[in-house]
Amino acid sequence: MQTPSIVLYNSLAPGALENTVLYAKMAEERGFRSVLVSESGSDALALAQHLASVTSRIQVGTCITNIYLRPPLLAALHAMTIDRFAPGRLVLGLGTSSEALNKVYGITMEKPAAALRTYLLQLTSAFRGEHETLSQMKAMGMTVPQAAHKILLYPGTASRLCLEVAGEFADGCFTSQCAPHGLQEIMAPLARGAQRVGRSLADFPIAPLVHCCVCDDREAALRAVRRTLAAYGSRPLYNRFLARQGFVKEAEQIAAAAAKGDMTSAALAVSENMAEQVAAMGTVQACRKKV
């Protein structure tokens, strides 16, 4: 069994960042592989940099940072800055986020797989010191940075086309809302991408994000998991992914309720079987066993 990592969903709400720092330190003390932070109403790379400064061994990183919010060169420079303070410990999780959130930012998502491909290529060229802008900086007499250590690139997505891009260019990938049998839906597009460039997926890490609700009251845990899965299932990308895994009825009912703004009914549409398959919930022992 691989050593688990922890993903912390954070915000700038009072006390939230302080809790994130506390949990990161606890994760390192307990031997977790990595501690990763989300980007929703906060800056994931800035927070990852701070976590690197208050830890010494554990991998730190993002899960995920939105590629539309930063030019790839800026993201590369920030990643290399973190790597200087935490040599070889950075995992750069990135993705296209969701249509709903990007709309809030005033961003139009056009051809997200193509955007992800371009972003990954520009990141890797910047890490090698070969980005076109860096070449221009060098011609001006400026010092051109280069990554001193391997910076892992992990796209996070359930999109088939984006998964193909990950299979071509990435070091691993995150996936979310995935039942164990649903990993088959991840492997096929990854394999197609890998085959295009002659890669093998034998050593390609797939990191499923498993929502955990540790609570001795199983019914309370189930209610919490249903709310979370309904929130994800209301997004078209994840709704389609849940349907591809066989949760067709649940996906249809979640979408119908969400379209009416009725998230209570959307949560109730999450069947107990779906909750049990996709998430970990209940006692400490039950959650550990599921993970």
Side-chain angles (χ1 to χ4, degrees):
M1 174 181 170
Q2 294 282 3
T3 306
S5 302
I6 186 169
V7 178
L8 301 173
Y9 288 81
N10 58 85
S11 71
L12 294 178
L17 296 185
E18 291 80 1
N19 281 337
T20 296
V21 172
L22 173 63
Y23 295 148
K25 292 178 178 179
M26 291 171 66
E28 180 168 72
E29 291 169 359
R30 284 155 176 76
F32 276 60
R33 174 185 295 267
S34 56
V35 57
L36 310 170
V37 292
S38 69
E39 186 167 76
S40 179
S42 64
D43 188 318
L45 275 168
L47 183 52
Q49 182 170 337
H50 180 66
L51 296 184
S53 72
V54 297
T55 58
S56 59
R57 303 180 307 278
I58 194 170
Q59 286 181 326
V60 297
T62 60
C63 184
I64 60 169
T65 185
N66 188 341
I67 66 171
Y68 293 109
L69 298 183
R70 294 178 187 81
L73 180 58
L74 177 61
L77 291 171
H78 199 162
M80 286 188 279
T81 301
I82 297 173
D83 183 64
R84 295 295 176 92
F85 291 104
R89 289 203 284 141
L90 180 63
V91 179
L92 184 55
L94 43 87
T96 58
S97 190
S98 67
E99 292 177 87
L101 186 56
N102 282 327
K103 186 177 180 180
V104 171
Y105 288 129
I107 296 168
T108 302
M109 291 178 65
E110 296 181 0
K111 299 182 178 180
L116 179 62
R117 178 191 298 272
T118 299
Y119 207 90
L120 287 171
L121 288 172
Q122 292 202 29
L123 280 175
T124 52
S125 69
F127 291 159
R128 293 193 299 264
E130 300 170 357
H131 191 280
E132 180 182 357
T133 301
L134 295 180
S135 299
Q136 295 173 5
M137 290 167 60
K138 185 175 182 179
M140 295 170 62
M142 299 173 65
T143 300
V144 174
Q146 188 172 345
H149 307 90
K150 175 68 175 177
I151 297 175
L152 298 173
L153 297 176
Y154 272 54
T157 184
S159 157
R160 288 169 170 165
L161 291 177
C162 287
L163 284 165
E164 288 186 21
V165 173
E168 287 185 78
F169 301 112
D171 299 299
C173 78
F174 298 116
T175 188
S176 185
Q177 321 316 312
C178 190
H181 68 267
L183 288 172
Q184 297 173 18
E185 292 293 329
I186 300 298
M187 287 302 301
L190 282 174
R192 285 195 295 271
Q195 289 169 2
R196 279 202 290 267
V197 293
R199 288 184 71 182
S200 169
L201 292 180
D203 299 317
F204 188 90
I206 300 173
L209 309 184
V210 181
H211 292 289
C212 294
C213 183
V214 183
C215 179
D216 289 339
D217 184 340
R218 190 179 184 282
E219 289 305 311
L222 177 59
R223 289 194 297 271
V225 166
R226 278 175 160 157
R227 287 194 298 269
T228 299
L229 296 187
Y232 275 90
S234 66
R235 304 172 190 175
L237 174 63
Y238 286 110
N239 191 276
R240 293 191 295 268
F241 182 49
L242 289 168
R244 294 204 303 270
Q245 296 179 73
F247 304 115
V248 178
K249 180 179 178 181
E250 293 93 336
E252 291 175 348
Q253 292 179 349
I254 291 169
K260 300 175 183 176
D262 185 359
M263 293 310 295
T264 299
S265 294
L268 292 174
V270 176
S271 66
E272 188 168 349
N273 174 57
M274 177 176 151
E276 289 176 340
Q277 288 289 318
V278 176
M281 59 185 178
T283 64
V284 170
Q285 293 78 11
C287 288
R288 183 181 290 119
K289 181 179 179 181
K290 180 60 185 289
V291 171

